Amino acid sequence: MSRNDCDYIIDLLGDWHPVTAKRMFGGFALYKQEQVFALILHDTLYFKVDDSNRTDYEAAGSEPF
């Protein structure tokens, strides 16, 4: 994944700005207010999930990492 591809994903999250990205594990970690909320690895976007939002992701058809 290139930095340009990462920037495109950040642009898609425009309503959620400011979102920043840093290189991590050969991909990018996405941050909102210094908290990691997602990873981009091998052209796939993975969101951080916990018990407070797991059912929302499952209802949307998402699968665990």
Side-chain angles (χ1 to χ4, degrees):
M1 160 119 350
S2 73
R3 182 64 200 208
N4 287 339
D5 295 333
C6 180
D7 289 342
Y8 173 72
I9 291 171
I10 290 171
D11 285 342
L12 292 175
L13 299 170
D15 291 341
W16 231 44
H17 277 287
V19 172
T20 59
K22 295 180 185 172
R23 282 264 181 210
M24 183 181 284
F25 306 125
F28 293 91
L30 299 183
Y31 293 80
K32 171 77 173 167
Q33 297 176 350
E34 299 184 25
Q35 289 275 3
V36 174
F37 71 90
L39 294 173
I40 304 170
L41 297 169
H42 308 292
D43 296 329
T44 303
L45 176 61
Y46 298 96
F47 287 99
K48 187 174 179 181
V49 177
D50 62 20
D51 291 337
S52 71
N53 62 5
R54 186 177 321 282
T55 56
D56 295 328
Y57 283 96
E58 290 170 347
S62 294
E63 297 179 4
F65 176 63

